[in-house]
Amino acid sequence: MTELFGLRRPELDMPWYAFALCAATPSVRMHAGFFTLSGVADLSAADAADTLVVPNRPDPDVPPSAAALNAVRRAAARGARLVSLCTGAATLAAAGVLDGRPAATHWRWADAFALRYPAVRWQPDVLYVDDGDVLTAAGSAAALDLGLHLIRRDHGADVANAVSRRLVFAAHRDGGQRQFVRVPVPATPDTGLAPVLDWARERLDQPLTIVDLATRAAVSQATLHRWFRAQLGTTPLSWLTAERTALACRLIERGEPSLDRVAQLSGLGTGANLRAQLRRATGLSPAAYRKRFGPAVPGPRAAPTAPASPGTPTAAATAGGR
């Protein structure tokens, strides 16, 4: 989260998040003592944050401190957005804010947490869960996926894509994608897929087929499927649909007024397919998505107010979930 929310981003030319690391103690021993975070803020930073991020815990079997749990409860009570990464979901669960809600965590701890916190609707197979004001990620890589998802919610797809490019990271993986715990890592990274992806992204409005992608990559369809499964964890058709849906979202965010035009430019074809794919990916209809993420409609001139501070919105991460 520090990489996503804590770095200055002058290339975006816009106010970024005011980010702080905080904990109940001034230093936190992390990852079996490999390093220690020191000089972190106290938990008053958590009380001031619009978004409170609880990272993975140094030892998931050790209960969270009462101070950390109380900070989470206070944040929930005042309506802050709560985010957990990996085993940090146990902190949210121990605070009681996940009761009756869906949540993701690392597959290695899913069974143990299900026994320890039976009131939580654990989703052991997904990368992350967005339940509105509470979001949970499954592991370290999924934390980046969720972080980019948050930036996309806050600032739109173009900004999220710009941040992902700086990270050299995939711009979008849907939260419902499986964790793929049994997929082995290839012995030699296969870079043959990247040019095909770039080529397809430039032609999303055209009637691309799996045969077209395989022909462009100069491989068989079976090999193409194997590459997609190994490198992206999905099928060529699912990837193509996700890319087209993401493009449709960007077009709506930029103010394209005609949904039929959005469907045509994104390659989704019809307004009906656009509605189906957008609802599947975001849970929103095109109209609801436009209302939430589209350009602001100028309203009546309001009385002057104090300027927002350069760092808003604010975000705080409790170090080690303590």
Side-chain angles (χ1 to χ4, degrees), residues 65 75 158 171-172 187 201 204 235 251 261 271 313:
S65 70
D158 285 347
H172 176 74
R201 288 189 182 104
L204 292 175
T235 66
L251 292 169
R261 180 68 172 161

Side-chain angles (χ1 to χ4, degrees), residues 171-186:
H172 176 74
R173 288 198 299 172
D174 185 78
Q177 188 169 309
R178 291 183 178 274
Q179 294 182 34
F180 304 113
V181 297
R182 294 182 179 86
V183 176
V185 176

Side-chain angles (χ1 to χ4, degrees), residues 57 59-64 90 93-94 109-120 122:
R57 296 186 47 72
D59 186 347
D61 288 326
V62 176
W109 294 95
D111 290 342
F113 288 169
L115 291 174
R116 196 177 304 170
Y117 307 107
V120 181
W122 296 105

Side-chain angles (χ1 to χ4, degrees), residues 41-113:
D42 60 33
L43 290 177
S44 63
D47 291 329
D50 302 312
T51 299
L52 182 62
V53 182
V54 181
N56 58 300
R57 296 186 47 72
D59 186 347
D61 288 326
V62 176
S65 70
L69 294 179
N70 288 333
V72 170
R73 292 174 184 134
R74 290 194 302 271
R78 61 183 172 81
R81 184 167 59 184
L82 301 177
V83 178
S84 71
L85 313 178
C86 194
T87 54
T91 301
L92 297 188
V97 300
L98 291 183
D99 287 357
R101 307 185 74 147
T105 192
H106 195 284
W107 60 267
R108 184 179 177 186
W109 294 95
D111 290 342
F113 288 169

Side-chain angles (χ1 to χ4, degrees), residues 27-42:
S27 64
V28 180
R29 184 172 178 267
M30 300 291 292
H31 296 291
F34 289 139
F35 64 93
T36 298
L37 291 176
S38 60
V40 298
D42 60 33

